[in-house]
Each structure stands twice: as C-alpha cells, then as structure tokens.
C-alpha cells in the first residue's frame, strides 16, 4: 500500500445490521487512487454494503479521491446499503461544502 495512505477496517453490529468501518489515514490522490480503489473493492467481497468511512485522519483529497468516494456511494446505493462519512477535518469539510 502507498505510504501516503493507510486503510484499516473493523466490523461492528449496529442494531440488527452489521457494518464495516473503514478508517482512511493519509492522502487520497491520483497517485494512489487505483491501488486504493482495488483495496476498498475487496472490502465488499462479503456483500455487506453498510459502510461507515472514518475520514478524521484524511489529510488531503483531490478530485480523483472525491470521484472514488462517489463511486463507493453509487455502489452502496445500488446494493441497498448505507454509507456514512464521519469526522471530516476542517480542510475536508470545506471540500464537501
């Protein structure tokens, strides 16, 4: 994995559903987008599309990184799942506003 980005995944039961929590630490950029996309796709091999993405340690997000998040959102919706992005820092929050 690119040293500029690190992923960690945990699984939790939330009420009657199971969800995966993906922690993203680092920078989502064009340079690491393909590798990151392939890694995240593997997290859906179990067909659990209830996802919380913790972006509290996401330091940078370029347009390719944003496109990747939108692709994840589309996939989750198509599979009747739920996607939550949590804890954006002020820089990342500014991108979404």
């Amino acid at each position: 994995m690119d040293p500029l980005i690190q992923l960690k995944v945990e699984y939790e039961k939330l009420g009657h559903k199971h969800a995966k929590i993906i922690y993203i630490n680092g920078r989502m950029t064009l340079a690491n987008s393909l590798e990151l996309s392939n890694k995240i796709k593997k997290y859906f091999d179990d067909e659990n599309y209830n996802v919380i993405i913790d972006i509290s340690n996401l330091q940078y997000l370029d347009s390719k990184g944003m496109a990747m998040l939108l692709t994840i959102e589309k996939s989750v919706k198509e599979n009747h799942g739920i996607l939550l992005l949590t804890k954006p820092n002020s820089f990342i929050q500014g991108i979404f506003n």
Side-chain angles (χ1 to χ4, degrees):
M1 175 66 55
D2 185 323
L4 297 178
I5 191 81
Q6 296 174 349
L7 296 177
K8 177 181 153 188
V9 67
E10 294 178 353
Y11 296 87
E12 290 213 12
K13 186 171 181 179
L14 302 173
H16 297 291
K17 298 187 179 210
H18 287 86
K20 61 182 62 105
I21 304 171
I22 301 173
Y23 297 90
I24 300 177
N25 185 356
R27 302 167 57 88
M28 290 177 71
T29 67
L30 176 62
N32 61 19
S33 63
L34 181 61
E35 182 180 1
L36 185 58
S37 178
N38 290 336
K39 180 85 170 170
I40 288 175
K41 283 179 187 176
K42 289 181 183 180
Y43 291 146
F44 294 107
D45 285 349
D46 64 359
E47 298 184 7
N48 177 356
Y49 289 90
N50 297 314
V51 182
I52 300 168
I53 300 179
D54 183 316
I55 55 175
S56 60
N57 290 313
L58 182 60
Q59 301 160 356
Y60 181 80
L61 178 69
D62 69 7
S63 60
K64 187 65 174 177
M66 178 65 87
M68 188 181 344
L69 289 175
L70 292 172
T71 299
I72 292 168
E73 177 188 35
K74 181 180 177 187
S75 179
V76 167
K77 281 185 177 182
E78 287 173 348
N79 289 281
H80 310 288
I82 298 168
L83 172 67
L84 299 172
L85 294 177
T86 63
K87 304 177 188 172
N89 63 37
S90 59
F91 174 76
I92 302 299
Q93 183 67 45
I95 292 171
F96 286 103
N97 290 335

